[in-house]
Amino acid sequence: DRTSIFTASLSRLFTAFLQRHGFTCGISDVLLLAKAEASRQELLESADARALQAAANFVNVQGMESGERIAEELEKRFLSNSTDVGAALDMKMSGAMHPLSSEVVKACLPGGQAKSFRHNMMALMTMTGAKGSVVN
């Protein structure tokens, strides 16, 4: 009986503490410094070219031919009623974009954030693993 009273008391104490001092994330937690934003923007400008190259590789179109040719080949594949086309294209695109995503994260976290790591609750949760991986 005493154990349950003690446990309930701890529960109320910790709940009160978290309500008063818990983690909250605001807009200031996701703002970037101008230099980091410029780096991020520069990296993201290559996204279309990477996606087009991945689609070209998927449909076996050599070189960076026009997007229309790639779109025609993709259309043929999707109209063939193959259920695996969408999943295979998604895997190809994910493989092409993963390095870009990693580069963007390296450019922005943690040094590119306007609010520093220790005071940035989003970064604190992410870096400690409480909120998934750094990419998330």
Side-chain angles (χ1 to χ4, degrees), residues 76-90:
K76 287 179 189 174
R77 294 251 178 127
F78 277 102
L79 291 176
S80 71
N81 289 327
S82 175
T83 58
D84 298 332
V85 174
L89 178 60
D90 184 58

Side-chain angles (χ1 to χ4, degrees), residues 85-132:
V85 174
L89 178 60
D90 184 58
M91 285 179 30
K92 184 66 104 172
M93 288 295 183
S94 294
M97 292 300 162
H98 180 72
L100 176 62
S101 177
S102 295
E103 291 171 32
V104 170
V105 169
K106 284 178 189 174
C108 297
L109 299 177
Q113 294 175 304
K115 200 174 193 184
S116 65
F117 166 69
R118 194 162 161 251
H119 303 287
N120 185 320
M121 296 304 156
M122 182 66 79
L124 183 64
M125 287 189 291
T126 304
M127 298 300 220
T128 60
K131 193 68 180 152

Side-chain angles (χ1 to χ4, degrees), residues 4 19 32 34 44 61 65-66 70 76 79 93 96 103 105 107 130:
S4 64
Q19 287 175 341
L32 297 174
L44 291 178
V61 172
E65 293 187 29
S66 75
I70 296 169
K76 287 179 189 174
L79 291 176
M93 288 295 183
E103 291 171 32
V105 169

